C-alpha cells in the first residue's frame, strides 16, 4: 500500500544522544537500540496502523507523532531506520461501520486511508518504508496461521481457528497483567472469552471462516478472513524480523493485541522476544472520556486543517503533553500552540539569539529522555525569549525544531 510523502529532514550539527524509552514489558527505561546492538547501524520499529474509519482523530495523531519522534531521534543519531506500519483494512469494526453507514467497506477503507495519508503529511510525520494492508497480505497471514498449526498451537471451534495461548511459555510477558485483568480487557477489546468449545477463554481468533455477507478469501485454511492479532505478527516478521527494537501503539493495545501479536510470532519462530521494547502512547480523551470511534467523541485533524488551523500548531499542541500521561484535548491547547509558534517564528527571524548549540543540546537531552517533549518545548521557549549575539543560532534552532520535533517554522 502506498504510504505518503516524506518531509525533508535537515541534518543538525552537534552530538546526538542515545534514546531511552519506557518499556511496558520490563516496566523501566531501556536504551533502544541497545548500546552494542547486533543490528549494526539499523533501528527497527513496528507501529500498529489504523483501522480505517474515523481517521485521523487526535488520539491517532498523538500516537503517530510520538513514534515519529523516535524515528527522528534515531535518524539524528545516524541510524538507518526500518519502519513498518500495517493497516487493518478488514476487521469487524470496519465492516460494522460500513454496514451502519450504508457504504461499501472497501470504499470506506480507501477514503479513510487517503484522509490518514493527508493528515500524516500535514503533520510532517515520516512515512514507514513498508505500509502494509491486511487485504494485500492475506496469503502472508494465512501462512503464519499455517506455521502456528504446524507448531501445534491451533485448534478449530466450529470452523474458526484459534491460537492456544498456552503454547507460548512467554505469554503474559508483554502486559504483566493478572489473569482477571486479561479476561476483562479481552472481552472489552474484541475477544470472545465465553465462546463454547475454546480450550482457554483467552485463546484468540486467528482465522474466521466465511459467513454469508462477510468478505472472505480462499486460503490453505479454507475460505475466510484473518483475526486481528496475527496480522501484526505476520507483517512484522516479514518486514522486520524477530527482536526488532520498538513495537509501538496506544496503551489500549497492550492487551490483548500486543501480547497476542508477540506470542504468535514467538511460537512461529521459537524465539523471543518479538520486540526489545513495547512502547505505548497514553490515551487522549475529550470532555472526560477517551476519544474513541465507538463513543464518537472525536476531534479530527482534517476538520481542524479545513478550518484553517496550521498543522504545525496541531503538532505542537500534541507535543505539549508527555506521551505516557493520559490527557484531554482542549481547544485552548491549540490557541497556546499557535501563540508559541508565533513566538518561535519571530525569534528565528531575528539576526541573532542566545547560544544555539546549547539550546539544541537541551532539546536532544529532553527528547532522548523518554520523549520529554514538554521539556524540549521549554528549551526552545527559553532560547526564543532570551537575548544573545550568536548569529548562527536562529538557523540552527530552526533546523533542530524541524528535524527533531518535526515542526517547520
Ligand atoms: N484515544 C486515543 N488516544 C491515543 N491513542 C489512540 C486512541 N485511540 C486509538 N489510539 C491508537 O491509535 C492507533 C490506531 O488505532 S485504531 O485505529 O483503533 N487501529 C488499531 O488499533 C489497529 N488497527 C492496530 S493493528 C492505535 O495505536 C491505537 O492504540
Ligand atoms: Zn497491530
Amino acid at each position: 500500500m502506498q504510504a505518503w510523502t516524506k518531509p525533508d529532514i535537515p541534518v543538525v550539527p552537534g552530538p546526538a544522544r542515545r534514546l531511552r524509552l519506557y518499556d511496558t514489558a520490563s516496566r523501566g527505561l531501556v536504551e533502544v537500540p541497545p548500546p552494542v546492538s547486533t543490528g549494526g547501524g539499523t533501528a527497527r520499529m513496528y507501529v500498529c496502523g489504523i483501522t480505517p474509519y474515523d481517521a485521523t482523530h487526535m488520539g491517532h495523531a498523538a500516537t503517530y507523532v510520538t513514534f515519529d519522534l523516535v524515528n527522528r531521534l534515531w535518524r539524528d543519531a545516524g541510524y538507518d531506520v526500518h519502519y513498518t506500519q500495517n493497516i487493518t483494512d478488514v476487521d469487524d469494526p470496519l465492516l460494522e461501520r460500513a454496514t451502519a453507514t450504508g457504504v461499501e467497506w472497501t470504499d470506506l477503507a480507501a477514503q479513510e486511508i487517503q484522509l490518514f495519508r493527508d493528515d500524516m503529511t500535514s503533520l510532517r510525520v515520516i512515512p514507514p518504508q513498508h505500509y502494509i494492508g491486511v487485504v494485500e497480505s492475506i496469503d502472508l497471514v494465512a501462512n503464519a496461521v499455517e506455521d502456528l498449526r504446524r507448531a501445534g498451537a491451533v485448534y478449530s471451534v466450529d470452523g474458526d481457528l484459534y491460537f492456544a495461548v498456552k503454547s507460548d511459555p512467554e505469554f503474559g510477558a508483554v502486559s504483566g497483567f493478572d489473569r482477571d485483568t486479561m479476561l476483562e480487557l479481552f472481552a472489552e477489546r474484541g475477544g470472545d472469552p465465553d465462546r463454547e468449545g475454546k480450550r482457554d477463554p483467552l485463546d484468540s481468533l486467528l482465522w474466521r471462516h466465511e459467513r454469508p455477507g462477510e468478505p472472505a478469501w480462499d486460503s490453505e485454511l479454507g475460505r475466510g478472513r484473518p483475526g486481528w492479532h496475527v496480522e501484526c505478527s505476520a507483517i512484522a516478521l516479514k518486514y522486520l524480523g524477530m527482536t526488532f527494537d520498538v513495537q509501538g501503539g496506544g496503551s489500549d493495545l497492550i492487551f490483548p493485541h500486543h501480547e497476542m501479536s508477540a506470542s504468535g510470532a514467538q511460537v512461529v519462530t521459537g524465539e523471543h522476544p518479538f520486540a526489545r521494547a513495547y512502547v505505548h502512547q497514553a490515551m487522549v480523551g475529550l470532555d472526560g472520556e477517551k476519544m474513541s470511534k465507538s463513543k464518537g467523541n472525536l476531534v479530527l485533524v482534517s476538520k481542524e486543517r479545513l478550518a484553517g488551523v496550521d498543522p504545525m500548531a496541531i503538532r505542537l499542541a500534541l507535543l505539549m503533553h508527555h506521551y505516557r500521561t493520559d490527557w484531554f484535548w482542549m481547544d485552548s491547547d491549540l490557541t497556546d500552540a499557535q501563540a508559541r509558534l508565533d513566538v518561535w517564528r519571530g525569534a528565528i527571524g531575528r539576526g541573532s539569539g542566545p547560544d544555539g548549540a546549547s539550546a539544541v543540546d537541551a532539546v536532544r537531552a529532553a527528547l532522548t529522555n523518554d520523549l520529554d517533549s514538554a521539556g524540549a518545548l521549554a528549551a526552545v521557549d527559553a532560547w526564543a525569549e532570551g537575548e544573545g549575539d550568536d548569529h548562527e543560532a536562529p538557523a540552527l534552532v530552526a533546523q533542530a525544531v524541524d528535524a527533531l520535533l518535526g515542526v517547520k517554522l
Side-chain angles (χ1 to χ4, degrees):
M1 190 77 88
Q2 177 68 33
W4 54 88
T5 319
K6 178 179 172 193
D8 61 302
I9 308 162
V11 176
V12 185
R17 290 169 173 256
R18 301 186 58 78
L19 175 59
R20 293 183 313 154
L21 288 172
Y22 184 84
D23 166 35
T24 298
S26 59
R27 283 174 168 50
L29 291 183
V30 295
E31 193 172 308
V32 280
V36 280
S37 166
T38 48
T42 63
R44 295 174 291 153
M45 171 164 74
Y46 185 90
V47 178
C48 286
I50 57 168
T51 301
Y53 67 94
D54 284 346
T56 309
H57 64 63
M58 292 303 175
H60 295 146
T63 291
Y64 299 112
V65 165
T66 286
F67 293 99
D68 190 53
L69 294 181
V70 174
N71 197 341
R72 289 171 177 276
L73 290 164
W74 278 348
R75 289 161 181 266
D76 184 49
Y79 286 103
D80 174 19
V81 179
H82 294 193
Y83 179 13
T84 296
Q85 184 177 129
N86 73 310
I87 309 150
T88 307
D89 54 356
V90 61
D91 199 17
D92 295 347
L94 178 70
L95 303 177
E96 283 150 21
R97 170 57 64 89
T99 309
T101 50
V103 298
E104 250 313 293
W105 66 274
T106 47
D107 295 340
L108 175 61
Q111 82 187 34
E112 292 293 305
I113 292 166
Q114 188 50 48
L115 190 55
F116 178 73
R117 291 191 186 101
D118 296 345
D119 291 334
M120 290 298 107
T121 305
S122 75
L123 291 174
R124 294 172 67 78
V125 169
I126 301 167
Q129 284 94 335
H130 295 113
Y131 191 48
I132 308 297
V134 173
V135 172
E136 64 183 345
S137 313
I138 295 288
D139 290 347
L140 176 69
V141 179
N143 291 341
V145 176
E146 200 45 49
D147 291 346
L148 285 169
R149 187 176 7 220
R150 271 194 289 277
V154 178
Y155 63 93
S156 168
V157 177
D158 305 329
D160 293 331
L161 300 180
Y162 278 83
F163 173 65
V165 295
K166 76 166 181 24
S167 58
D168 174 23
E170 295 296 315
F171 182 77
V174 172
S175 65
F177 292 155
D178 62 39
R179 192 166 166 83
D180 287 348
T181 307
M182 288 184 177
L183 286 164
E184 188 189 322
L185 290 175
F186 192 55
E188 258 173 51
R189 296 168 176 171
D192 57 356
D194 304 328
R195 181 170 184 181
E196 282 297 306
K198 286 173 66 176
R199 293 179 191 161
D200 183 324
L202 288 176
D203 290 345
S204 51
L205 183 70
L206 291 167
W207 185 262
R208 180 179 164 87
H209 80 77
E210 182 171 22
R211 266 70 166 179
E214 286 190 8
W217 288 264
D218 286 322
S219 83
E220 57 204 318
L221 311 165
R223 273 185 68 74
R225 62 186 166 93
W228 174 23
H229 314 302
V230 66
E231 69 191 53
C232 288
S233 312
I235 292 169
L237 281 180
K238 171 163 182 184
Y239 293 97
L240 295 174
M242 273 304 269
T243 318
F244 53 92
D245 297 289
V246 165
Q247 156 75 307
S251 56
D252 59 343
L253 298 187
I254 294 175
F255 193 91
H257 185 53
H258 284 175
E259 193 78 70
M260 296 289 179
S261 302
S263 271
Q266 285 160 182
V267 173
V268 163
T269 62
E271 298 164 35
H272 72 273
F274 182 46
R276 287 198 174 104
Y278 295 89
V279 183
H280 293 103
Q281 161 69 42
M283 291 292 105
V284 177
L286 184 71
D287 305 335
E289 284 193 286
K290 176 194 166 201
M291 201 177 283
S292 83
K293 311 170 187 176
S294 40
K295 294 191 177 77
N297 59 340
L298 305 173
V299 176
L300 298 182
V301 171
S302 53
K303 185 171 153 292
E304 299 301 327
R305 284 194 295 126
L306 293 175
V309 174
D310 183 342
M312 294 297 92
I314 298 172
R315 185 161 174 134
L316 266 183
L318 298 170
L319 293 172
M320 284 159 61
H321 304 274
H322 192 245
Y323 82 100
R324 280 199 296 125
T325 308
D326 290 354
W327 55 276
F328 291 104
W329 175 266
M330 321 271 283
D331 285 341
S332 56
D333 281 350
L334 216 38
T335 321
D336 297 349
Q338 188 58 60
R340 174 177 256 132
L341 203 50
D342 296 343
V343 167
W344 288 8
R345 283 178 170 152
I348 61 150
R350 296 176 302 186
S352 72
D355 178 59
S358 49
V360 170
D361 188 49
V363 169
R364 282 178 163 135
L367 288 176
T368 52
N369 175 24
D370 196 26
L371 303 181
D372 174 14
S373 52
L377 301 192
V380 181
D381 288 341
W383 180 84
E385 280 140 26
E387 296 294 322
D389 55 5
D390 178 346
H391 293 280
E392 271 112 58
L396 180 63
V397 169
Q399 274 175 309
V401 167
D402 186 354
L404 304 175
L405 288 166
V407 177
K408 189 117 182 117
L409 294 180

